Amino acid sequence: MQLPLDKKTVLVTAGARRVGAAICRRLHAAGANVMVNYLRSGKAARGLVAEFNAQRANSAAMIKADLLHADAPARLIKTTLRSEEHTSELQSHHDLV
């Protein structure tokens, strides 16, 4: 069965805990591959990525970045693009509030 986000990759900033993790779970359940951005929540990010990869192999990865640094957004996108052929959606949970 084809899911709505099959073969699409999403980058979720602040995705390791709370609202960000909930967004990651929802997107992953819809078929997306997920790049989880975190700063201080490495343990939570590792757990989330392991959970996703146990459900669907190679469907999640994580990247540490402080979005207060000017070069961080470009580095996040570049790394995500390198991990997949393309990024179809870029989403910050801050955009949803």
Side-chain angles (χ1 to χ4, degrees):
M1 174 174 85
Q2 178 105 6
L3 295 171
L5 294 176
D6 274 351
K7 298 187 179 165
K8 299 199 179 197
T9 299
V10 294
L11 166 61
V12 181
T13 58
R17 298 178 354 161
R18 297 186 289 269
V19 173
I23 290 169
C24 287
R25 283 190 175 92
R26 186 85 179 252
L27 292 167
H28 191 264
N33 293 328
V34 180
M35 177 67 79
V36 179
N37 161 244
Y38 71 97
L39 179 59
R40 294 181 190 93
S41 303
K43 184 176 179 179
R46 278 188 296 283
L48 195 60
V49 167
E51 173 188 325
F52 294 156
N53 286 329
Q55 294 170 11
R56 191 165 19 99
N58 302 313
S59 63
M62 56 190 246
I63 181 171
K64 182 176 183 176
D66 184 348
L67 295 176
L68 294 178
H69 291 119
D71 66 333
R75 189 170 60 81
L76 282 171
I77 293 167
K78 187 175 184 179
T79 301
T80 302
L81 289 171
R82 250 187 273 141
S83 74
E84 291 293 325
E85 284 188 18
H86 68 282
T87 298
S88 55
E89 301 289 333
L90 298 175
Q91 182 66 60
S92 165
H93 75 260
H94 299 289
D95 296 338
L96 302 174
V97 177

